[in-house]
Amino acid sequence: MSTFIEAWQMVLAPDVLLAILLSAIYGLVVGSLPGLSATMATALLVPVTFYLSPIAAIATIITASAMAIFSGDIPGCLLRIPGTPASAAYTDEAYAMTRKGQPELALGICLWFSALGGVFGTLSLIIMAPLLAEFALSFSTFEYFWLAFLGLMCATVVARSSPVKAIAAMLLGLLIACVGIENPAGTPRFTFGMTDLLGGIEVIPALVGCFAVAEVMRAMSVPEPPQLARRKFGSILAGQWKLTKEYPKQQARGNVVGIIIGVLPGAGADMAAWVSYAMAKRFSKTPEKFGTGHPEGLIEAGASNNASLASGWVPSLLFGIPGDTITAIAIGVLYMKGLNPGPTLFTEKASSMYALYIIFMLGNIIMIPLGIIMIRLATFILRAKRYMIMPVIVLLCAVGSFATGNNLFLVISVAAFGCIGYLMEKNGFPVAALVLGIVMGNMVETHFITSLIKSDGSLLPFFARPVSATLAAITIGLMVWPLAVWLYKKRTQATAAAA
Amino acid sequence: MHIPNRATGIGLAVLGAAVAYGGSLLPPVPGQQVGPNVFPMVIGIGLVLCGIAIAIGIGKSFEEPEEVVASEDGAHVPADAVAPVPHAALKTIVPPLLLLFYAFTVDHLGFIPTAAVMVATTCFALGGTWRSALILALCAPPAVHLVFAKLLRVPLPPGLLPIPW
């Protein structure tokens, strides 16, 4: 009980409350602007968290990401442009409701069920994390290696692009993580004699470059999206309680699917929304109404993406394996603030963990009033011209990356990663897989090398323990899957040609 | 900038081979079978395999064409079908070039003038008028300076134009 009271004291500190409020506003505004994703909002916040207390830093990341995920629904609903990739699954449905003259209802569903999904996701985090922590204590380096590798492979499967390209992107990320002396032997690798590369390539410039600079570069080559017409909204929450009672199954299923996908390492809110929307349609009694402005899919997918956000913290806190790109950033912040992820975090830093739960709850509760204000202001904010926002983002990329290490080489890294991210995206290589590779590179290598040393260079012990064998089977299955699909297609084509 | 799959595949395979070779040259740890060379070699071999797979078209069936929103009614069209932005290729490299400009000149010019040039150039490249570029160049750098230098205590160089606070 004293730990719980201590946690409340931590959260109620003025700097933490201020951080929550400001990051909520920031998340809502950035998430709502088309092209500026929740990941980008979070990545640009990291330099600021350097200067905050540990709890305020974590609060900033949690609140901003939750708000940005909800806020991404606003342009999706009003303009048919998803503000964040997590909203893309049901953008057409929400826009169809707007065209039917029900924008308030669509936005209300997004807000209300996002908040409820977030609360359920947090509850799952509270219940699951300590239970799994006990289980995780029995893991050896073999399990950790496969778990980390499985996380990377999941990221390649959910990428909605060629899995081979996703695996290549992930390997490039691992290669980037190899640079420097941060390896088990402390040998400089791929530094080409440059002292700036000795310490390795920092994750934050890579994130800022791949998500923010690459987006500005993309904005340069595509025409400005259409402008939002001015409109006045009626009551946002009217009818939501009725919908909650009308669709309890969909809501519960959305929450559960979101939680499960969030817990999977490597898969996050985007995937949760796609799967939930597809499930809602599959199990609906009226599937023909989907796509015409029907609330069912919106409820399920809207709840799902926010639920996955909180449960995505389970693998991050327990194993240091990110659930998605946002938690990948959060892990960096956790390490920076001395809250090193691992099963012992729940015993050694219990009050900080409770504080984290409280922040999640608070974040999802204040989402409702702040979200209503945001929706009402959306017609003004979404009218902001791209040429007034993007220049500030370029400047923040430069200053923010410099601030993480007071080193101008970091700004050069941001520029390089901007180009890499842009080129990769243009050619169908998922950037998220690259980033996860960079974030998890050191961890995967450490567990891989430690396991190999333990096994005297033999690969058999990697498959000897039941949990590691199961994880290995899933991981290898995911790896050979694209090859199997290719071979199958070739065979069917050959049979068809012969016939 | 779209590069054919065959070219990216071959490029990746060559990179993978170079990484595996570079990794194999790394010195081993005395008395241990496994050293810093193993991981880069595994990655290198993986990249070679992926490169070959991409070059011969494995996994191509999973790719989806890029779409953009083109009109006010929210209609999505393939990215290739949209009228191209004039000088798009040139404009695309503006953000990284500006970041390099920042890295190499900020110590000499100072934060405010460098930031003003960056902001105004990006604004102009995105189709902003000279007036909006000028307004942004006058307002954004001092605001960012206030947050980062004053509140977060990041040492931004004063250069030619020190800020009074």
Side-chain angles (χ1 to χ4, degrees):
Chain A
M1 193 63 197
S2 65
T3 339
F4 191 63
I5 295 170
E6 203 184 315
W8 268 107
Q9 284 170 340
M10 282 171 156
V11 176
L12 292 178
D15 65 323
V16 178
L17 289 179
L18 189 67
I20 292 177
L21 183 71
L22 292 179
S23 55
I25 296 169
Y26 165 82
L28 282 169
V29 173
V30 177
S32 74
L33 295 168
L36 309 189
S37 66
T39 313
M40 175 176 164
T42 324
L44 283 177
L45 258 186
V46 177
V48 179
T49 61
F50 264 57
Y51 304 90
L52 302 177
S53 70
I55 298 300
I58 301 294
T60 313
I61 300 286
I62 292 174
T63 324
S65 57
M67 298 293 165
I69 294 274
F70 150 68
S71 188
D73 298 346
I74 301 174
C77 191
L78 301 176
L79 285 169
R80 204 181 161 218
I81 309 169
T84 66
S87 315
Y90 48 87
T91 293
D92 284 350
E93 195 74 59
Y95 185 70
M97 286 182 89
T98 304
R99 290 187 84 173
K100 272 165 67 178
Q102 301 172 321
E104 299 88 356
L105 187 67
L107 287 166
I109 291 174
C110 294
L111 176 62
W112 176 247
F113 291 96
S114 287
L116 285 187
V119 169
F120 279 104
T122 312
L123 287 176
S124 78
L125 172 68
I126 296 172
I127 297 164
M128 251 191 298
L131 289 177
L132 278 172
E134 245 169 76
F135 181 57
L137 277 174
S138 61
F139 277 19
S140 71
T141 51
F142 296 106
E143 280 86 4
Y144 269 109
F145 165 71
W146 283 118
L147 201 61
F149 199 21
L150 176 64
L152 288 172
M153 287 312 299
C154 282
T156 64
V157 173
V158 301
R160 299 187 71 239
S161 111
S162 156
V164 184
K165 286 188 172 178
I167 294 173
M170 179 263 279
L171 288 171
L172 281 175
L174 292 177
L175 174 64
I176 290 167
C178 276
V179 176
I181 54 167
E182 296 246 341
N183 55 69
T187 312
R189 290 189 304 202
F190 307 119
T191 54
F192 307 104
M194 290 168 73
T195 41
D196 282 317
L197 287 178
L198 269 181
I201 291 174
E202 298 275 339
V203 176
I204 296 164
L207 282 162
V208 172
C210 287
F211 290 109
V213 179
E215 188 52 49
V216 182
M217 289 171 75
R218 205 183 73 85
M220 291 279 179
S221 60
V222 293
E224 178 122 17
Q227 245 199 0
L228 182 67
R230 275 187 200 280
R231 65 164 86 226
K232 275 208 143 197
F233 294 110
S235 171
I236 305 291
L237 289 182
Q240 298 307 325
W241 185 240
K242 198 174 142 244
L243 283 174
T244 315
K245 284 192 288 182
E246 205 176 328
Y247 296 107
K249 231 193 242 173
Q250 285 77 356
Q251 197 203 329
R253 204 166 47 209
N255 289 332
V256 172
V257 169
I259 288 165
I260 294 171
I261 291 181
V263 171
L264 282 180
D270 318 4
M271 183 64 185
W274 283 105
V275 172
S276 282
Y277 186 76
M279 275 184 84
K281 195 172 176 183
R282 173 76 187 73
F283 292 109
S284 172
K285 283 180 189 146
T286 51
E288 70 283 354
K289 285 190 183 169
F290 276 70
T292 61
H294 187 52
E296 218 175 321
L298 213 55
I299 291 173
E300 193 158 337
S304 178
N305 63 9
N306 271 66
S308 74
L309 204 60
S311 65
W313 281 69
V314 174
S316 316
L317 291 172
L318 284 177
F319 312 111
I321 295 171
D324 53 16
T325 41
I326 292 175
T327 39
I329 303 169
I331 287 177
V333 177
L334 285 169
Y335 273 116
M336 194 169 73
K337 294 295 175 189
L339 295 167
N340 293 9
T344 50
L345 191 62
F346 293 84
T347 45
E348 287 169 6
K349 300 266 168 66
S351 53
S352 299
M353 285 303 101
Y354 282 129
L356 194 139
Y357 301 151
I358 297 168
I359 293 163
F360 257 115
M361 282 292 179
L362 271 183
N364 282 298
I365 292 167
I366 61 166
M367 184 193 282
I368 294 177
L370 289 179
I372 292 175
I373 299 172
M374 178 65 208
I375 292 169
R376 299 217 176 276
L377 293 176
T379 34
F380 298 102
I381 293 171
L382 288 181
R383 289 178 76 85
K385 286 284 186 190
R386 206 170 54 173
Y387 59 72
M388 296 303 272
I389 298 162
M390 294 298 185
V392 182
I393 291 195
V394 176
L395 185 56
L396 288 177
C397 290
V399 186
S401 54
F402 172 75
T404 58
N406 290 351
N407 181 356
L408 283 170
F409 179 73
L410 297 172
V411 184
I412 300 172
S413 311
V414 171
F417 276 103
C419 298
I420 294 172
Y422 176 78
L423 276 178
M424 285 178 66
E425 198 124 314
K426 276 274 161 198
N427 291 288
F429 288 84
V431 179
L434 171 92
V435 168
L436 285 177
I438 300 175
V439 173
M440 291 166 68
N442 278 333
M443 186 193 187
V444 175
E445 181 174 11
T446 307
H447 291 311
F448 181 58
I449 298 296
T450 317
S451 304
L452 272 179
I453 291 172
K454 272 173 28 186
S455 68
D456 248 351
S458 161
L459 286 177
L460 278 180
F462 279 80
F463 307 92
R465 294 161 59 104
V467 177
S468 65
T470 317
L471 292 170
I474 303 172
T475 314
I476 293 168
L478 289 177
M479 236 151 92
V480 294
W481 169 60
L483 186 68
V485 171
W486 184 72
L487 284 174
Y488 174 76
K489 282 202 172 155
K490 277 250 154 186
R491 227 179 118 182
T492 40
Q493 271 171 8
T495 343
Chain B
M1 194 172 86
H2 191 78
I3 307 165
N5 274 349
R6 189 152 293 189
T8 43
I10 293 169
L12 276 173
V14 171
L15 174 71
V19 168
Y21 175 70
S24 70
L25 297 179
L26 288 167
V29 179
Q32 257 183 22
Q33 284 182 335
V34 190
N37 54 347
V38 176
F39 202 57
M41 281 166 71
V42 173
I43 294 171
I45 295 166
L47 277 173
V48 170
L49 294 176
C50 282
I52 295 169
I54 291 167
I56 60 172
I58 297 180
K60 205 174 171 226
S61 56
F62 293 88
E63 288 184 49
E64 289 172 13
E66 193 189 1
E67 280 191 336
V68 293
V69 178
S71 64
E72 278 174 44
D73 65 354
H76 285 225
V77 291
D80 314 340
V82 181
V85 175
H87 312 297
L90 198 65
K91 285 179 181 174
T92 307
I93 56 164
V94 167
L97 285 181
L98 284 174
L99 287 167
L100 290 180
F101 168 74
Y102 180 90
F104 290 111
T105 57
V106 74
D107 278 338
H108 310 290
L109 287 180
F111 174 74
I112 296 289
T114 318
V117 172
M118 283 175 80
V119 168
T121 314
T122 318
C123 179
F124 202 60
L126 277 164
T129 56
W130 275 113
R131 224 177 95 191
S132 47
L134 193 68
I135 294 170
L136 210 58
L138 287 175
C139 300
V144 172
H145 188 276
L146 179 71
V147 174
F148 278 87
K150 189 74 184 164
L151 302 178
L152 301 175
R153 308 220 173 267
V154 177
L156 297 175
L160 303 175
L161 201 64
I163 278 276
W165 53 68

